[in-house]
Amino acid sequence: MHQEATRWIVDLLKKRRIPFLICGGLAARGYGATRALNDIDLFVPGEHFDTVVEAGQAFIAKPARHYREAGWDLTYVQFKHSGIKIEVGSAHDPRIFDTHRQEWVALEIDFSRYRTVRLLGMELPLMLDEDLIRYKSALSRPVDLEDIRSIRSTSVSLGTPPI
């Protein structure tokens, strides 16, 4: 199911030549995490966000607007395809709640910082592992800490320096 949902959103974005960056659990999977996926998370540049919303209109499960919830302060839309939630965030000024500093901090989304990894039968642009670990460390939810442990242990077992 995750493969079908991911293929749908990737095809929608590529057809319109919209850059995107996979983050969250799917990106963590690309770096060695093995936990079950809850959803598909990605960012698009702010200037393309409305185009994505319009193109996926038939699959909207949660309307496009600004949300401040569960450690996130950003504009996003949630689609549901093949029974899987797909959350597309606008890269225009997203913030996360840094649990260590107890304050909202900017989440820098840099579309030039990515690694292409083959996942779910597709070549996907993943947020760099160090950027992923940085934001997951700030959020520090149990699922984020689990992803960080998996990414770091895979990195060490592959002989790459730990982050």
Side-chain angles (χ1 to χ4, degrees), residues 28-90:
R29 269 250 178 117
Y31 296 116
T34 57
R35 70 171 172 86
L37 292 175
N38 296 319
D39 56 14
I40 307 298
D41 300 304
L42 57 117
F43 280 97
V44 298
E47 64 269 20
H48 295 291
F49 183 74
D50 290 339
T51 301
V52 174
V53 172
E54 181 62 32
Q57 192 71 35
F59 295 94
I60 291 178
K62 193 171 182 180
R65 69 174 185 82
H66 189 91
Y67 294 90
R68 189 173 187 178
E69 59 189 17
W72 293 92
D73 182 9
L74 76 163
T75 298
Y76 80 96
V77 62
Q78 183 187 92
F79 300 112
K80 196 159 193 179
H81 191 281
S82 304
I84 303 298
K85 291 186 287 187
I86 303 163
E87 296 182 338
V88 180
S90 167

Side-chain angles (χ1 to χ4, degrees), residues 48-142:
H48 295 291
F49 183 74
D50 290 339
T51 301
V52 174
V53 172
E54 181 62 32
Q57 192 71 35
F59 295 94
I60 291 178
K62 193 171 182 180
R65 69 174 185 82
H66 189 91
Y67 294 90
R68 189 173 187 178
E69 59 189 17
W72 293 92
D73 182 9
L74 76 163
T75 298
Y76 80 96
V77 62
Q78 183 187 92
F79 300 112
K80 196 159 193 179
H81 191 281
S82 304
I84 303 298
K85 291 186 287 187
I86 303 163
E87 296 182 338
V88 180
S90 167
H92 179 73
D93 294 330
R95 297 185 323 150
I96 57 174
F97 190 75
D98 186 319
T99 57
H100 307 290
R101 295 167 41 186
Q102 288 294 297
E103 65 183 8
W104 290 96
V105 297
L107 176 60
E108 299 298 326
I109 304 298
D110 183 345
F111 292 93
S112 71
R113 291 178 52 81
Y114 67 93
R115 183 168 295 131
T116 302
V117 175
R118 186 155 186 85
L119 282 172
L120 303 176
M122 292 163 270
E123 299 293 322
L124 299 174
L126 308 185
M127 175 181 278
L128 287 181
D129 50 357
E130 58 260 29
D131 297 343
L132 186 63
I133 287 174
R134 190 175 305 112
Y135 98 68
K136 285 183 163 287
S137 294
L139 288 169
S140 286
R141 301 168 300 183

Side-chain angles (χ1 to χ4, degrees), residues 16-28:
R16 290 160 183 81
R17 295 189 177 108
I18 297 174
F20 64 98
L21 200 56
I22 303 288
C23 59
L26 183 55

